[in-house]
Amino acid sequence: MASGQGDWNMNKDFFNFTRGRFVSREEAQMAMRRIEFDMNALCSVAAKAVGAHRCINVNKCPDGLYNKFFVLTMNDGREVIAKVPNPNAGIRAWTTASEAATMVFARETLNTPAPKIYAWNCSANENPVGAEYIIMEKMSGVPLARVRQRMELTDKLKIIFQIHKLQQSWLSYPFEQIGSLYFREFMPKTSRGSIKADVQGPMSVSERYVVRRILEDHVIIPLSIVTGSNWRILLGKLPLEYYNAAADRESLAVQRSSRFPTQLTMICGPRLYQPTSWIKEAAITDFKKVLGMLLPTDAAISTPYLWHNDLHAENIFVDEIEPTIVTGIIDWQSARIAPLFEHTLIPGILDYDGPEIENLEQPELPPNYAELSQEEQAEQVKMQFNRALVVAYRRLVKGKSSEIHSAVEHQSTSEYTMLHISRRIFSIGEAHLRALLVDLKEDWATLPAVRAFKGQPPAYPLEYSSAEVEEIELDAEAADIGIQIMNDLRDFLADKWPDQAAVRHEDYGETRSLLRNEKQMLIRKLELNEQEKREFERLWPFDD
């Protein structure tokens, strides 16, 4: 979507979400992705930042769900990227401030090819643009997604080796605190004097950056709750403090909200699982009683690191002529400093979606491969191809990055699953968390933290009656059924499925019609009475 010279503000598409439509709460979804600002001023800021006379062309990139991106062309032919966050992108000012500091730190200290920043401002009310913005380098090359389908296995392995090399550079810089990274100058003047040098390293680094509030909440907790309360910020020197703060945050959100987020992971309703504040609070309360014994005892995987957790093929740029060379990593908005075991360690470009990998042996086609249909054979080849890439990565880290290997191994444990779910209870997961807490009794004595406890090991602290255990198990089973129904719905709609509720303009009508029909079929299948039908309609996550 391009616009030539003139009054850039005349193009209203610049300020709205135009990539598609939403089939769930469309009006609200559009509103949280609409932002008014002065595009003429943004172009002037960008031109001044790179030493050009003026901007001669603006091209809007396809909308992201949280930000708007524009390619700005200067009079001398240079191109830069302008990023403007939507209202739903995160906590005002802090999100942009952290992203800017993180990109500079990654580029200058971690030797990672993040885009160079030419200008940024997080004070929307105090700059001529009227919005927060980052003016940054347009990365050379093309997104890996554009070329990877034609790449051979050996070429994809070369990409994996380079990503692992970047991860090793991230491992070279451990932090002492959990949080998000900021420039020291961003912090309010009243608090600067009390800030310790909590970013370790050369004086030039430790004096420039600080670690403060972690920015992971906007995609889970409503911004009105996050920004309008005095809940403990997620910052601490120990994982125990971090998870306690997260549990407090989830509890506060449950208490202060009149409704839970629209559920797009499972279907809820009568005869299925129905979330309640009581169940969510019970899950959080019981989780906090066992939290100390769920944490890993291995300091190597508990150490905080700054990490890019979204290494999918759109965020990795490669050379267009020689696509085995990584030229850039973009989208640092969600990067945070957290314990190694909490990060997404297996890169998103390894899109394996098959059975759990129990060993690192070379994958093989199934014995009955010759008997499969042509379509099934193609599916098996694709799955084993992707499995081979994951196995190669796992072998690589096992041999060269023992911390990552140990952290990946830990992520397959029930302890990690409980820790992971606990940070999302306001949204989803309380039924499964409670079931895992019940099952924990059998494995309590084998937990690393219990075995390593000095003195008399603590006893399993939770007590459930037989009736409570039965109710918890039924809730977990009902939640599993709801998840399966949603998965079946996703498979049925195929390329018409509304990923994160968004669909292409041309698919909007058909997708809504298919979803309406499926809803009516489910109502008949569940044999709901009139009252139950009304409740099912209320909880149905898609618009009619």
Side-chain angles (χ1 to χ4, degrees), residues 59-271:
N59 186 61
K60 183 186 179 186
C61 304
D63 280 289
L65 290 173
Y66 300 103
N67 304 277
K68 293 183 178 12
F69 294 89
F70 305 90
V71 179
L72 309 184
T73 305
M74 303 300 149
N75 62 292
D76 56 10
R78 282 181 294 172
E79 293 181 325
V80 298
I81 298 293
K83 178 177 185 177
V84 177
N86 292 328
N88 68 331
I91 300 174
R92 187 175 58 189
W94 289 79
T95 300
T96 296
S98 179
E99 181 177 11
T102 299
M103 289 171 65
V104 173
F105 184 85
R107 183 181 178 89
E108 296 182 357
T109 305
L110 300 181
N111 298 314
T112 298
K116 179 179 180 180
I117 292 182
Y118 300 117
W120 68 280
N121 193 297
C122 64
S123 301
N125 297 329
E126 299 176 11
N127 70 58
V129 176
E132 300 174 35
Y133 62 82
I134 298 178
I135 308 297
M136 68 185 85
E137 169 190 15
K138 182 185 178 187
M139 299 305 296
S140 63
V142 297
L144 177 60
R146 194 178 301 177
V147 297
R148 69 171 177 171
Q149 294 301 325
R150 63 174 186 263
M151 293 175 69
E152 299 291 336
L153 177 61
T154 53
D155 290 338
K156 290 185 177 181
L157 286 173
K158 291 178 181 178
I159 297 292
I160 296 303
F161 292 151
Q162 290 173 79
I163 295 300
H164 173 251
K165 186 175 181 180
L166 291 176
Q167 290 180 325
Q168 285 183 307
S169 73
W170 304 343
L171 286 174
S172 71
Y173 212 104
F175 287 79
E176 291 191 346
Q177 295 201 76
I178 297 168
S180 291
L181 197 65
Y182 303 90
F183 290 119
R184 187 173 293 270
E185 65 190 34
F186 165 73
M187 304 307 297
K189 293 181 180 179
T190 54
S191 67
R192 287 185 196 171
S194 62
I195 294 174
K196 296 186 299 182
D198 46 21
V199 179
Q200 302 302 307
M203 188 63 69
S204 60
V205 174
S206 62
E207 286 188 340
R208 191 177 185 188
Y209 301 96
V210 293
V211 181
R212 284 296 176 266
R213 70 189 305 172
I214 193 165
L215 300 174
E216 63 171 16
D217 319 306
H218 69 277
V219 295
I220 306 170
I221 307 297
L223 284 174
S224 58
I225 293 175
V226 173
T227 58
S229 64
N230 293 320
W231 56 273
R232 293 167 59 192
I233 60 175
L234 293 189
L235 173 71
K237 284 185 174 295
L238 298 172
L240 180 62
E241 294 176 343
Y242 169 70
Y243 285 104
N244 261 317
D248 290 345
R249 175 199 65 196
E250 299 296 302
S251 179
L252 185 62
V254 171
Q255 295 168 23
R256 293 194 175 187
S257 295
S258 59
R259 55 174 291 178
F260 303 127
T262 300
Q263 191 50 256
L264 296 175
T265 303
M266 66 180 176
I267 299 296
C268 299
R271 316 277 176 104

Side-chain angles (χ1 to χ4, degrees), residues 239-354:
L240 180 62
E241 294 176 343
Y242 169 70
Y243 285 104
N244 261 317
D248 290 345
R249 175 199 65 196
E250 299 296 302
S251 179
L252 185 62
V254 171
Q255 295 168 23
R256 293 194 175 187
S257 295
S258 59
R259 55 174 291 178
F260 303 127
T262 300
Q263 191 50 256
L264 296 175
T265 303
M266 66 180 176
I267 299 296
C268 299
R271 316 277 176 104
L272 299 170
Y273 177 70
Q274 290 185 262
T276 67
S277 296
W278 183 89
I279 295 177
K280 289 180 182 290
E281 286 278 30
I284 294 169
T285 299
D286 288 350
F287 166 78
K288 292 188 72 173
K289 293 177 181 178
V290 302
L291 169 58
M293 296 298 108
L294 297 179
L295 297 169
T297 57
D298 184 354
I301 71 173
S302 299
T303 300
Y305 293 96
L306 179 65
W307 213 261
H308 194 303
N309 288 304
D310 197 16
L311 292 173
H312 61 70
E314 291 289 349
N315 286 340
I316 299 173
F317 275 62
V318 296
D319 187 89
E320 190 167 10
I321 298 175
E322 183 48 70
T324 59
I325 299 175
V326 174
T327 60
I329 305 292
I330 67 169
D331 194 3
W332 292 84
Q333 191 173 69
S334 299
R336 67 188 194 277
I337 299 164
L340 183 63
F341 70 85
E342 255 296 341
H343 287 304
T344 303
L345 301 171
I346 298 179
I349 52 172
L350 300 176
D351 55 352
Y352 173 70
D353 189 25

